[in-house]
Amino acid sequence: MIAIASDHAGVALKAELYRQLQDRGVEVEDLGPSDATSVDYPDYAHLLARAVADGRIERGILICGTGIGMSMAANRHPAVRAALCHDAYTAEMARRHNDANVLCIGERTIGVGVAGQVVQVFVDTPFEGGRHQRRVAKIEWEEP
């Protein structure tokens, strides 16, 4: 299961990506918002990140104007590895080497066509594991 959420600056791209995912047969849940009325991006980033951290969803997609704020807020949650991606290569490496479980993109910084490619790669690319597993395990910070 994949969840998708945005703020007001990402609502149009969210709707298009939601449709694309459904057309591909991907089970996707829209966590809002439903229109372009101004909202605060951390509210939606935290909503989605909690669902990932709790295991209710496997992966998530967050969209705001640039993707920066969403990635910063989502990465505050344990077990969330949110990656800001701008192209198919960064999405592939985020999954393959970093086991990213949240994709962040910016509606104002990426076109619809490229965004669709980024999402497809994020959904389809498996985590490579191996030497990368050790590194991913070190992402979770614990005080010594």
Side-chain angles (χ1 to χ4, degrees):
M1 161 78 81
I2 292 180
I4 190 168
S6 71
D7 69 357
H8 56 280
V11 74
L13 183 57
K14 177 178 64 83
E16 175 59 24
L17 295 174
Y18 180 85
R19 184 195 61 75
Q20 289 180 19
L21 287 165
Q22 283 195 313
D23 288 351
R24 290 185 59 217
V26 176
E27 186 179 359
V28 59
E29 180 180 356
D30 185 342
L31 299 180
S34 59
D35 62 45
T37 303
S38 183
V39 296
D40 297 330
Y41 67 84
D43 296 338
Y44 291 91
H46 293 312
L47 177 68
L48 186 140
R50 277 193 301 273
V52 170
D54 293 346
R56 290 185 309 235
I57 60 168
E58 181 181 346
R59 293 189 210 157
I61 301 167
L62 290 168
I63 307 157
C64 63
T66 63
I68 296 168
M70 287 293 201
S71 65
M72 292 172 74
N75 275 318
R76 302 291 296 160
H77 293 260
V80 171
R81 293 172 303 282
L84 175 59
C85 297
H86 294 97
D87 53 42
Y89 180 74
T90 55
E92 179 183 357
M93 291 301 103
R95 284 290 310 133
R96 192 173 303 286
H97 290 184
N98 305 113
D99 198 19
N101 51 17
V102 176
L103 170 66
C104 299
I105 54 179
E107 181 172 319
R108 296 174 181 160
T109 63
I110 190 170
V112 174
V114 174
Q117 292 172 343
V118 168
V119 168
Q120 182 173 342
V121 168
F122 180 77
V123 170
D124 293 346
T125 302
F127 176 49
E128 200 169 277
R131 70 184 191 277
H132 303 292
Q133 181 59 53
R134 180 182 76 251
R135 296 168 183 151
V136 169
K138 290 180 176 185
I139 291 173
E140 290 298 319
W141 176 255
E142 293 184 21
E143 288 290 327

